[in-house]
Amino acid sequence: MSRIHLQGLTRRFGGVTAVDDIWLDVADGEFLVLLGPSGCGKSTLLRMIAGLLAPTDGRVLLDEADITHLPARERDLAIVFQSYALYPHLSVARNIGFPLRARRWSRDEIQAKVAEVAAVLDLSELVARKPKELSGGQRQRVALARALVRDPGAFLMDEPLSNLDAKLRSSTRAEISGLHRRLGATVVYVTHDQVEAMTMATRIVLLDKGRLEQVGTPEEVYDRPESTFVAGFLGSPPMNLLTAEVVPDGDALRVRAADLDLPLGITADTPPRPVALGVRPEHLRLTTPDAAGIRGVVRTVENLGSEEVAHCVVGDERLCLRGARPLGLHAGDPVHLTAAPENLHLFDPGSGRRLAWQPVPSFSHHPPPLPHPAPSPI
Ligand SMILES: Nc1ncnc2c1ncn2[C@@H]1O[C@H](COP(=O)(O)OP(=O)(O)OP(=O)(O)O)[C@@H](O)[C@H]1O
Ligand SMILES: [Mg+2]
C-alpha cells in the first residue's frame, strides 16, 4: 500500500482560492478523513490527489514519486464517488471486472479475481444481477468492489455514502471500516458528516475555506479543538461558545461574564483577559441556585429518544445542555449550571485560536507570559 504526501497544494478558480497551501502526510494504511462544511475545498483537494484536476501550486507525491503531472489513469489510485456510476446494461460481475478487462486480463483471471472480491464484499449471491435489481447499499458495494479489484495503492472516496438512507449508511460505514482493517489499505475519505469522520477515521483533517484548521485523531479534535471553528463544527449540538473574561481571584483564576462565574482550577497571576469560553453540551451539569456557575433560562427542550437537549439563553447568548432523558426542564424554567474545570476550553476571541493556560509558580518575579495561543498543530 501507499503513502501520499501533499506539499503546499493550492488550487485557485479565478479569484477563489478553493485549496490553500495544504501540507499533509498520509501514512501507509491510514484512514484519513477530510472533513469540513460545504465549499471548504474537500472535493477539490481529493480531485488533485486523483489527478482529475491540476493544482495551481504545490506537489503530490505517492511513495516518494512526484505524480503531480501524471494523468489520473496512470496513478495507482482507485476513486469511489457519491454516485455509483455503474454500467446499467452489465451484470454485477462484469461491472466489477471492468477495470481488469480494460487492462486485458484473461477471462479466467478476471473470473477468479471478481469471485474473490465479491466474496469479500458479500456480493457473491448477486453477481448475475443488473444494477437496477440491487438496493442502494448493494450498488455502493459493487462500486467499492470495482475499486478494490484493481488492488490500488490507495483509495480515494468522495462522500460515497451520501445517497444512502440512515440505516444503510450505518451498515455500509461499518463495511468500509471492516474492509480497511482487513486490507490495511490507505484511504483518503471526504465527508461533511462528522459521525462518519469520528467513527471511521484514524485521523481527521478539518478544513475551512481551503485551509487546514486541525489534524488529529478523532479523540484529539473532539477533546482538544485548536480553534473556535473546530469547536463549533464537531459535536451534536456543537460546543457552546460564550463571551467571557478570565480574571484573577486571589492567586486562582476564574472565568466570568454577567451570568457566569466558574473556577478554572489553576493558579496564575495574570491581568484580566477577554476569552471565548467553550463548554460541550454534555459537560454541563445542573446545580443549585446558590452555587457559582451559569444562570440561564430554558427556551425549548428537544427529545432525542434516549437523551434530551435543552436550548437555553444566558444573557443574550445561546447555550445547549445535553443529558439523559428526562432532564426535568421545561420552557421558561430558570437553570443553574456548572462544569468541571477540565471541561472548560478557552479561545482567543480575536483569532479564535485555543489558549494554553499553565500555572505560574508564585515565586516568579517576571510578568507571566501566559496565557498565550497554543502553537499551531501543523
Ligand atoms: N470548477 C470550478 N470552478 C470554479 N469554482 C469552483 C470549481 N470547483 C470548485 N469551485 C469552488 O471551490 C470551492 C471548494 O469547492 P469544493 O467542491 O472543493 O467544496 P467541497 O468541500 O467539496 O463542498 P461540498 O461539501 O459541498 O461537496 C467552492 O467555493 C467552489 O465553489
Ligand atoms: Mg464535495
Side-chain angles (χ1 to χ4, degrees), residues 13 16 18 37-44 159 192:
F13 295 107
V16 178
S38 184
C40 72
K42 305 179 295 291
S43 295
T44 305
E159 312 228 17
H192 61 263

PDB file of all heavy atoms in Angstrom, residues 13 16 18 37-44 159 192, ligand 1:
ATOM      1  N   PHE A  13      -9.579  29.096  -8.415  1.00  0.00           N
ATOM      2  CA  PHE A  13     -10.512  29.212  -9.543  1.00  0.00           C
ATOM      3  C   PHE A  13     -10.777  30.701  -9.691  1.00  0.00           C
ATOM      4  O   PHE A  13     -11.527  31.263  -8.892  1.00  0.00           O
ATOM      5  CB  PHE A  13     -11.835  28.483  -9.265  1.00  0.00           C
ATOM      6  CG  PHE A  13     -11.701  26.997  -9.129  1.00  0.00           C
ATOM      7  CD1 PHE A  13     -11.816  26.382  -7.890  1.00  0.00           C
ATOM      8  CD2 PHE A  13     -11.496  26.197 -10.249  1.00  0.00           C
ATOM      9  CE1 PHE A  13     -11.723  25.003  -7.757  1.00  0.00           C
ATOM     10  CE2 PHE A  13     -11.395  24.816 -10.127  1.00  0.00           C
ATOM     11  CZ  PHE A  13     -11.509  24.225  -8.884  1.00  0.00           C
ATOM     12  N   VAL A  16     -11.118  32.846  -6.522  1.00  0.00           N
ATOM     13  CA  VAL A  16     -11.412  31.989  -5.359  1.00  0.00           C
ATOM     14  C   VAL A  16     -10.256  31.018  -5.114  1.00  0.00           C
ATOM     15  O   VAL A  16      -9.844  30.301  -6.016  1.00  0.00           O
ATOM     16  CB  VAL A  16     -12.707  31.166  -5.600  1.00  0.00           C
ATOM     17  CG1 VAL A  16     -12.996  30.245  -4.415  1.00  0.00           C
ATOM     18  CG2 VAL A  16     -13.878  32.090  -5.866  1.00  0.00           C
ATOM     19  N   ALA A  18      -9.711  27.785  -3.609  1.00  0.00           N
ATOM     20  CA  ALA A  18     -10.516  26.662  -3.107  1.00  0.00           C
ATOM     21  C   ALA A  18      -9.700  25.805  -2.147  1.00  0.00           C
ATOM     22  O   ALA A  18     -10.228  25.283  -1.170  1.00  0.00           O
ATOM     23  CB  ALA A  18     -11.024  25.818  -4.270  1.00  0.00           C
ATOM     24  N   PRO A  37     -17.227  22.022   6.200  1.00  0.00           N
ATOM     25  CA  PRO A  37     -18.526  22.427   5.666  1.00  0.00           C
ATOM     26  C   PRO A  37     -18.524  22.471   4.141  1.00  0.00           C
ATOM     27  O   PRO A  37     -17.457  22.433   3.516  1.00  0.00           O
ATOM     28  CB  PRO A  37     -18.736  23.827   6.251  1.00  0.00           C
ATOM     29  CG  PRO A  37     -17.361  24.318   6.576  1.00  0.00           C
ATOM     30  CD  PRO A  37     -16.539  23.115   6.908  1.00  0.00           C
ATOM     31  N   SER A  38     -19.704  22.565   3.563  1.00  0.00           N
ATOM     32  CA  SER A  38     -19.834  22.631   2.117  1.00  0.00           C
ATOM     33  C   SER A  38     -19.002  23.797   1.564  1.00  0.00           C
ATOM     34  O   SER A  38     -19.021  24.889   2.116  1.00  0.00           O
ATOM     35  CB  SER A  38     -21.319  22.835   1.762  1.00  0.00           C
ATOM     36  OG  SER A  38     -21.461  22.816   0.382  1.00  0.00           O
ATOM     37  N   GLY A  39     -18.249  23.521   0.513  1.00  0.00           N
ATOM     38  CA  GLY A  39     -17.479  24.573  -0.141  1.00  0.00           C
ATOM     39  C   GLY A  39     -16.103  24.806   0.462  1.00  0.00           C
ATOM     40  O   GLY A  39     -15.379  25.711   0.044  1.00  0.00           O
ATOM     41  N   CYS A  40     -15.687  23.986   1.452  1.00  0.00           N
ATOM     42  CA  CYS A  40     -14.400  24.247   2.117  1.00  0.00           C
ATOM     43  C   CYS A  40     -13.214  23.715   1.319  1.00  0.00           C
ATOM     44  O   CYS A  40     -12.065  23.950   1.684  1.00  0.00           O
ATOM     45  CB  CYS A  40     -14.394  23.677   3.531  1.00  0.00           C
ATOM     46  SG  CYS A  40     -14.316  21.874   3.575  1.00  0.00           S
ATOM     47  N   GLY A  41     -13.470  22.970   0.224  1.00  0.00           N
ATOM     48  CA  GLY A  41     -12.373  22.551  -0.640  1.00  0.00           C
ATOM     49  C   GLY A  41     -12.054  21.064  -0.586  1.00  0.00           C
ATOM     50  O   GLY A  41     -11.052  20.620  -1.162  1.00  0.00           O
ATOM     51  N   LYS A  42     -12.901  20.263   0.046  1.00  0.00           N
ATOM     52  CA  LYS A  42     -12.623  18.828   0.218  1.00  0.00           C
ATOM     53  C   LYS A  42     -12.504  18.115  -1.134  1.00  0.00           C
ATOM     54  O   LYS A  42     -11.526  17.415  -1.399  1.00  0.00           O
ATOM     55  CB  LYS A  42     -13.747  18.153   1.033  1.00  0.00           C
ATOM     56  CG  LYS A  42     -14.025  18.792   2.372  1.00  0.00           C
ATOM     57  CD  LYS A  42     -15.152  18.090   3.113  1.00  0.00           C
ATOM     58  CE  LYS A  42     -16.512  18.187   2.449  1.00  0.00           C
ATOM     59  NZ  LYS A  42     -17.099  19.538   2.465  1.00  0.00           N
ATOM     60  N   SER A  43     -13.529  18.299  -1.990  1.00  0.00           N
ATOM     61  CA  SER A  43     -13.528  17.593  -3.276  1.00  0.00           C
ATOM     62  C   SER A  43     -12.398  18.097  -4.170  1.00  0.00           C
ATOM     63  O   SER A  43     -11.775  17.315  -4.885  1.00  0.00           O
ATOM     64  CB  SER A  43     -14.867  17.787  -3.999  1.00  0.00           C
ATOM     65  OG  SER A  43     -15.894  17.188  -3.255  1.00  0.00           O
ATOM     66  N   THR A  44     -12.145  19.388  -4.114  1.00  0.00           N
ATOM     67  CA  THR A  44     -11.062  19.952  -4.925  1.00  0.00           C
ATOM     68  C   THR A  44      -9.730  19.312  -4.529  1.00  0.00           C
ATOM     69  O   THR A  44      -8.929  18.929  -5.393  1.00  0.00           O
ATOM     70  CB  THR A  44     -11.017  21.489  -4.746  1.00  0.00           C
ATOM     71  OG1 THR A  44     -12.307  22.009  -5.065  1.00  0.00           O
ATOM     72  CG2 THR A  44      -9.970  22.130  -5.632  1.00  0.00           C
ATOM     73  N   GLU A 159     -17.560  11.318  -0.464  1.00  0.00           N
ATOM     74  CA  GLU A 159     -18.923  11.160   0.056  1.00  0.00           C
ATOM     75  C   GLU A 159     -19.618   9.920  -0.508  1.00  0.00           C
ATOM     76  O   GLU A 159     -20.721  10.025  -1.047  1.00  0.00           O
ATOM     77  CB  GLU A 159     -19.747  12.416  -0.260  1.00  0.00           C
ATOM     78  CG  GLU A 159     -19.000  13.686   0.107  1.00  0.00           C
ATOM     79  CD  GLU A 159     -19.838  14.665   0.905  1.00  0.00           C
ATOM     80  OE1 GLU A 159     -20.868  14.259   1.449  1.00  0.00           O
ATOM     81  OE2 GLU A 159     -19.421  15.825   0.992  1.00  0.00           O
ATOM     82  N   HIS A 192     -18.824  15.481   4.827  1.00  0.00           N
ATOM     83  CA  HIS A 192     -19.132  16.614   5.701  1.00  0.00           C
ATOM     84  C   HIS A 192     -19.908  16.102   6.917  1.00  0.00           C
ATOM     85  O   HIS A 192     -20.417  16.880   7.706  1.00  0.00           O
ATOM     86  CB  HIS A 192     -19.890  17.707   4.948  1.00  0.00           C
ATOM     87  CG  HIS A 192     -21.201  17.251   4.407  1.00  0.00           C
ATOM     88  ND1 HIS A 192     -21.362  16.840   3.102  1.00  0.00           N
ATOM     89  CD2 HIS A 192     -22.399  17.113   4.997  1.00  0.00           C
ATOM     90  CE1 HIS A 192     -22.613  16.466   2.936  1.00  0.00           C
ATOM     91  NE2 HIS A 192     -23.265  16.621   4.054  1.00  0.00           N
TER      92      HIS A 192
HETATM   93  N1  LIG B   1     -14.647  24.146 -11.434  1.00  0.00           N
HETATM   94  C1  LIG B   1     -14.803  25.148 -10.555  1.00  0.00           C
HETATM   95  N2  LIG B   1     -14.860  26.434 -10.970  1.00  0.00           N
HETATM   96  C2  LIG B   1     -14.976  27.432 -10.078  1.00  0.00           C
HETATM   97  N3  LIG B   1     -15.056  27.278  -8.749  1.00  0.00           N
HETATM   98  C3  LIG B   1     -15.015  26.024  -8.273  1.00  0.00           C
HETATM   99  C4  LIG B   1     -14.890  24.882  -9.139  1.00  0.00           C
HETATM  100  N4  LIG B   1     -14.858  23.772  -8.386  1.00  0.00           N
HETATM  101  C5  LIG B   1     -14.989  24.188  -7.105  1.00  0.00           C
HETATM  102  N5  LIG B   1     -15.078  25.541  -7.025  1.00  0.00           N
HETATM  103  C6  LIG B   1     -15.178  26.340  -5.792  1.00  0.00           C
HETATM  104  O1  LIG B   1     -14.157  25.936  -4.899  1.00  0.00           O
HETATM  105  C7  LIG B   1     -14.636  25.881  -3.560  1.00  0.00           C
HETATM  106  C8  LIG B   1     -14.434  24.480  -2.998  1.00  0.00           C
HETATM  107  O2  LIG B   1     -15.283  23.568  -3.686  1.00  0.00           O
HETATM  108  P1  LIG B   1     -15.322  22.013  -3.358  1.00  0.00           P
HETATM  109  O3  LIG B   1     -16.194  21.363  -4.361  1.00  0.00           O
HETATM  110  O4  LIG B   1     -13.927  21.518  -3.237  1.00  0.00           O
HETATM  111  O5  LIG B   1     -16.010  22.020  -1.928  1.00  0.00           O
HETATM  112  P2  LIG B   1     -16.452  20.791  -1.004  1.00  0.00           P
HETATM  113  O6  LIG B   1     -15.757  20.998   0.312  1.00  0.00           O
HETATM  114  O7  LIG B   1     -16.238  19.508  -1.711  1.00  0.00           O
HETATM  115  O8  LIG B   1     -18.016  21.081  -0.796  1.00  0.00           O
HETATM  116  P3  LIG B   1     -19.267  20.042  -0.716  1.00  0.00           P
HETATM  117  O9  LIG B   1     -19.276  19.521   0.708  1.00  0.00           O
HETATM  118  O10 LIG B   1     -20.443  20.930  -0.960  1.00  0.00           O
HETATM  119  O11 LIG B   1     -19.083  18.975  -1.735  1.00  0.00           O
HETATM  120  C9  LIG B   1     -16.081  26.340  -3.613  1.00  0.00           C
HETATM  121  O12 LIG B   1     -16.124  27.704  -3.301  1.00  0.00           O
HETATM  122  C10 LIG B   1     -16.471  26.085  -5.054  1.00  0.00           C
HETATM  123  O13 LIG B   1     -17.497  26.971  -5.446  1.00  0.00           O
END
